Structure formats: structure tokens, C-alpha cells
Amino acid sequence: KILAQAGGIAAYHSKARKAGSVFVSWTRARDVSKPRGARPGTVQIRRQSLIKVRPALPPDDSWAAPS
């Protein structure tokens, strides 16, 4: 659930905001690296997985700490 929610937020802040549903890549931080000499913002991803999500921001109450 958390991964899908994070993917929806990422898709919302991308060029795919208006799309019905999009694929989002996810991986662990240790599987992301910047190639030498690459432009800023360029990364290389190893061992990625894809999830299909709808671009959306979570409701305001979803950020509340569980009681």
C-alpha cells in the first residue's frame, strides 16, 4: 500500500500527471547510481521493478500518525 501511494505521488509530480494510469519504476537506494561524467539528474537503476498506479496525491488525513 505504501509503495503504491508513493508511486502515485511520484507520477502526480511527473509529466504523466494527466494520464489514467502509469508504470512507475522502484528499487532500493543501493541499486541507484550516477554514471561517471553523466549530466546532473541522470541515474542508472539496477534490479528495478514496475508497478502500475494512478497519479494522485494522498488525502490529507493519510499523513497522520497511527494511534
Side-chain angles (χ1 to χ4, degrees), residues 2-63:
I2 293 174
L3 189 58
Q5 194 174 38
I9 294 169
Y12 180 83
H13 290 293
S14 74
K15 293 178 183 177
R17 178 184 290 191
K18 304 274 189 213
S21 61
V22 296
F23 285 99
V24 176
S25 298
W26 70 272
T27 189
R28 294 182 286 189
R30 69 181 182 191
D31 292 328
V32 179
S33 61
K34 180 183 179 292
R36 277 186 237 158
R39 299 179 71 195
T42 303
V43 295
Q44 183 176 25
I45 301 174
R46 297 181 310 275
R47 290 190 277 265
Q48 70 179 355
S49 296
L50 294 174
I51 58 172
K52 192 172 185 179
V53 298
R54 289 181 179 264
L57 291 176
D60 289 335
D61 60 349
S62 68
W63 296 104

